[in-house]
Amino acid sequence: LVNRFAKRTLDLLVALPITILLSPVMLITAVAIKIYDKGPAFYKQTRLTVGGKEFKLLKFRSMIVNAEMDGIARLAQENDGRITPVGKVLRRTRLDELPQLFNILSGDMSLVGPRPERPEIAEEYEKVLPEFKLRLKVKAGLTGYAQVYGKYNTEPRHKLLFDLFYIETQSVWMDLNILFKTVIVVFRKDATEEVESGKTHAGVEVK
């Protein structure tokens, strides 16, 4: 209980001033997306957080409108034609993730924790990795141990090990350390590498 209170306090103390400070950047980003193709600046996607609760994760839209018209959930892949020119910049700089600060302020997410997965993809992962659902013991995070020590295209099994290690050893000091390292990771180009075209992750075929 004390740890949860300390974690929530840290979330608010960090997320609120950063949201205010970066509000001009978010405004410019939203305008750039809107100007490019007149589509919505934000993208809402159903994700899972603590206890398997579903919530709407906010991101700046980096792909074309209706990128998944066929209803199939897909991870971004190499040379993905769905990503717009503006989106490429956003993904490379991680600016597309900034709206998740509002998810943190609302309490659905934390600054640090396992990255929130989509229900349909999590279901596929759990067929091969039943332990995958253990990630839902804590709130999903904007960044996490797996993001600092892995990459976007790190295999789910390895990400799971990173997440479980964090869940068992988490503390405010660990969160602060991960937040510090996240700033460094943002400038690593390889950290945002997409998955290879056609590669299967834990039974999920990326087309």
Side-chain angles (χ1 to χ4, degrees):
L1 183 61
V2 173
N3 187 55
R4 285 202 301 269
F5 176 78
K7 190 172 178 66
R8 180 58 180 161
T9 300
L10 177 64
D11 286 343
L12 294 176
L13 288 177
V14 175
L16 185 57
I18 288 180
T19 301
I20 295 173
L21 182 65
L22 294 180
S23 56
V25 177
M26 288 194 274
L27 177 60
I28 293 172
T29 301
V31 171
I33 296 171
K34 195 73 177 176
I35 289 176
Y36 175 72
D37 63 4
K38 309 274 191 308
F42 296 98
Y43 181 63
K44 292 182 180 181
Q45 193 174 70
T46 301
R47 299 286 182 107
L48 299 174
T49 188
V50 60
K53 175 188 173 185
E54 294 187 358
F55 73 102
K56 294 296 184 181
L57 178 138
L58 282 174
K59 296 184 74 172
F60 280 124
R61 182 173 58 84
S62 61
M63 292 189 175
I64 59 174
V65 178
N66 297 323
E68 293 180 348
M69 290 183 64
D70 55 9
I72 300 175
R74 296 187 178 94
L75 298 175
Q77 57 182 297
E78 291 177 334
N79 303 314
D80 198 321
R82 299 173 299 164
I83 302 176
T84 67
V86 174
K88 288 180 180 179
V89 175
L90 297 182
R91 295 172 75 91
R92 191 178 305 122
T93 58
R94 305 294 183 91
L95 288 175
D96 61 321
E97 308 284 358
L98 287 182
Q100 288 166 57
L101 288 167
F102 296 111
N103 289 124
I104 293 171
L105 294 175
S106 69
D108 287 324
M109 290 176 62
S110 179
L111 282 168
V112 181
R115 284 295 294 160
E117 193 52 85
R118 300 169 68 174
E120 51 269 60
I121 291 181
E123 183 179 354
E124 290 298 317
Y125 285 164
E126 288 169 15
K127 292 177 182 178
V128 179
L129 300 169
E131 305 87 355
F132 198 78
K133 64 180 61 176
L134 295 177
R135 300 167 74 255
L136 301 176
K137 291 174 66 176
V138 297
K139 277 186 184 179
L142 175 62
T143 185
Y145 198 89
Q147 282 61 52
V148 168
Y149 294 100
K151 296 186 293 185
Y152 178 82
N153 60 0
T154 297
E155 293 285 347
R157 188 181 302 275
H158 295 153
K159 281 187 178 180
L160 175 61
L161 293 176
F162 285 140
D163 288 333
L164 294 182
F165 175 79
Y166 169 76
I167 291 171
E168 293 302 317
T169 59
Q170 65 175 304
S171 67
V172 171
W173 296 115
M174 177 179 275
D175 282 5
L176 288 171
N177 183 52
I178 291 174
L179 288 173
F180 175 74
K181 292 191 178 205
T182 297
V183 176
I184 299 174
V185 169
V186 166
F187 295 99
R188 277 175 40 205
K189 182 179 179 181
D190 65 333
T192 56
E193 289 178 352
E194 286 82 12
V195 297
E196 296 175 13
S197 179
K199 187 172 183 180
T200 299
H201 276 195
V204 179
E205 184 179 356
V206 182
K207 299 181 180 178

